[in-house]
Amino acid sequence: MKKYNFNAGPSMLPREVIENTAKQMLDFNGSGLSLMEISHRAKDFQPVMDEAMALVKELLDVPEGYSVIFLGGGASLQFCQVPCNFLIKKAAYLNTGVWAKKAMKEAKHFGEVVEVASSAEATYSYIPKGWQCPTDVDYLHITTNNTIYGTEIRKDLDVPVRLIADMSSDIFSRPVDVSKYDCIYGGAQKNLAMAGVTIIIVKDDCLGRAPREIPTMLDYRTHVEKGSMFNTPPVVPIYSALETLRWIKREGGVEAMNRRAVERGRMLYDEIDRNRLFRGTVAVEDRSLMNICFVMNDEYAELEKPFMEFATERGMVGIKGHRSVGGFRASCYNAQTIEGVKALVACMQEFEAKH
Ligand SMILES: *Cc1c(COP(=O)(O)O)cnc(C)c1O
């Protein structure tokens, strides 16, 4: 049976990305060796790194004065690396979910943390509005897409201080005005690559300002200066990211990714709103196009398990909601197909007809 992958991360990748990456596992560039067994300093690997960095800049239209680096450690390491490099005295954080909270916790190791607003009291079911960003902070940190709760800030904010964003689960899903940010980071395993690499876009002129001794590996300057080759980078994940970046370019760039995301989101949210068995879990204006969360309507609560079984029998994978929200979550990253979304919508309609 055909499987439709709605996993939240690691998650679906384009089939050709997986196939092309698999080929390099057996024979990298006709060298007779696997990509797993060559030096990252081999002359054949440098072009992979160079092309991946260049494509990030091209696809997101990254202005002059920014560097792109690929590191290990996941977005979770960035929760500490960001404040270690940028927090001088005080930083502001917008608390929109579990990941934002984890970022705040790590920042407290390096200075004072101000929570500008929070939607914790409502299980993070909306993005706080009407808050003011203090002007005496070193930066404001936001999480653009809240993977667990299904809310998203799908525009670039104007704030009076440096802006830093965790874009782990929506990077490359829309055009971004990079010039509004001083640092953008994301673990690649949601909509870019296999797990193991983190992408960081950092503005060069904010490096080296923090008045502390930064351990070599945590200092962004180390990796910027060495082109992400200070130590052994995660070569296979970087290669898979390169294949996805090429795929995004072939498919029409981030504008095309955005159009598809809007289309998928419209189809699925329309069905959630129409179907009498289900309802969405977050404020309509903050609905994520990446992680679409829904639950059974109260009067049909006992149908949650039966629907899960029904959908699983029809090939849906990974639609169980995060334990803190319950219900269902259909993750629709760049590689998600309209066909996959149609299959899920058909499931919801058939199930409704039976009940
Ligand atoms: C998944 C995720 C993380 C954690 O990423 P790791 O690479 O596992 O550390 C952080 N932030 C957001 C928004 C995520 O979706």
Side-chain angles (χ1 to χ4, degrees):
M1 183 195 12
K2 182 156 170 68
K3 299 279 189 192
Y4 297 100
N5 185 354
F6 291 96
N7 280 328
S11 42
M12 184 173 180
L13 288 169
R15 189 70 207 170
E16 58 203 271
V17 166
I18 296 169
E19 282 171 359
N20 291 345
T21 305
K23 274 185 207 147
Q24 308 298 337
M25 294 304 105
L26 298 173
D27 182 5
F28 177 58
N29 269 358
S31 65
L33 300 176
S34 168
L35 176 57
M36 287 185 269
E37 22 173 45
I38 58 154
S39 166
H40 54 294
R41 307 203 188 275
K43 73 171 179 355
D44 271 12
F45 186 73
Q46 188 63 48
V48 170
M49 187 65 107
D50 294 344
E51 188 184 346
M53 286 178 176
L55 277 173
V56 170
K57 289 189 172 176
E58 180 184 336
L59 291 169
L60 289 180
D61 203 8
V62 177
E64 286 289 304
Y66 285 79
S67 297
V68 174
I69 49 182
F70 295 107
L71 301 181
S76 299
L77 181 60
Q78 296 310 304
F79 295 163
C80 111
Q81 197 166 0
V82 160
C84 183
N85 281 264
F86 301 131
L87 205 168
I88 299 169
K89 265 183 116 154
K90 192 155 72 160
Y93 279 69
L94 180 62
N95 183 4
T96 53
V98 163
W99 298 118
K101 231 174 118 180
K102 289 189 175 181
M104 287 167 71
K105 175 168 180 258
E106 297 309 310
K108 286 176 187 162
H109 291 294
F110 299 94
E112 193 186 331
V113 170
V114 189
E115 184 184 83
V116 290
S118 165
S119 49
E121 87 295 342
T123 330
Y124 297 114
S125 58
Y126 66 97
I127 302 285
K129 319 268 175 347
W131 44 271
Q132 289 265 312
C133 182
T135 51
D136 64 341
V137 293
D138 302 312
Y139 61 82
L140 169 71
H141 179 281
I142 59 171
T143 311
T144 50
N145 184 67
N146 298 284
T147 323
I148 292 175
Y149 303 95
T151 59
E152 188 175 13
I153 305 171
R154 220 174 157 77
K155 58 176 190 286
D156 304 307
L157 302 184
D158 287 298
V159 292
V161 297
R162 296 171 182 277
L163 183 60
I164 295 183
D166 174 359
M167 292 198 186
S168 293
S169 51
D170 63 354
I171 195 165
F172 296 109
S173 77
R174 66 171 174 97
V176 169
D177 182 353
V178 175
S179 71
K180 290 194 175 170
Y181 301 84
D182 280 45
C183 179
I184 291 171
Y185 65 89
Q189 70 274 20
K190 307 286 163 52
N191 53 5
L192 187 64
M194 60 186 282
V197 63
T198 315
I199 171 170
I200 296 131
I201 303 170
V202 62
K203 195 171 183 183
D204 298 326
D205 77 0
C206 35
L207 297 174
R209 288 171 185 252
R212 65 177 61 84
E213 293 269 324
I214 305 178
T216 311
M217 274 297 284
L218 287 183
D219 192 334
Y220 288 123
R221 286 173 297 183
T222 304
H223 304 287
V224 167
E225 280 160 21
K226 297 285 181 192
S228 295
M229 293 275 203
F230 171 75
N231 69 322
T232 318
V235 291
V236 176
I238 290 171
Y239 186 83
S240 70
L242 170 60
E243 283 290 348
T244 307
L245 293 164
R246 286 174 175 164
W247 175 84
I248 294 172
K249 185 173 172 178
R250 281 198 300 277
E251 298 290 310
V254 288
E255 287 82 6
M257 297 300 119
N258 183 50
R259 278 195 300 275
R260 291 179 191 182
V262 169
E263 166 77 356
R264 288 187 303 254
R266 190 189 51 72
M267 286 170 63
L268 198 42
Y269 283 120
D270 277 359
E271 178 59 21
I272 291 166
D273 293 340
R274 186 209 60 77
N275 193 309
R276 82 194 134 77
L277 303 185
F278 303 99
R279 66 178 162 83
T281 56
V282 304
V284 171
E285 69 277 13
D286 299 325
R287 282 174 163 180
S288 168
L289 296 182
M290 301 286 103
N291 310 96
I292 299 181
C293 296
F294 54 103
V295 293
M296 305 306 304
N297 262 324
D298 292 345
E299 59 271 43
Y300 299 106
E302 78 288 355
L303 290 178
E304 179 168 318
K305 227 178 129 223
F307 178 71
M308 183 60 82
E309 284 161 11
F310 184 86
T312 305
E313 279 164 18
R314 280 154 187 78
M316 306 303 132
V317 176
I319 61 164
K320 193 171 169 51
H322 190 271
R323 61 190 176 280
S324 56
V325 180
F328 309 97
R329 170 176 54 173
S331 294
C332 295
Y333 301 120
N334 282 339
Q336 187 57 264
T337 58
I338 296 288
E339 184 203 353
V341 174
K342 276 190 180 150
L344 177 56
V345 166
C347 252
M348 294 164 77
Q349 293 176 348
E350 277 177 52
F351 193 73
E352 182 189 34
K354 281 179 53 163
H355 294 276

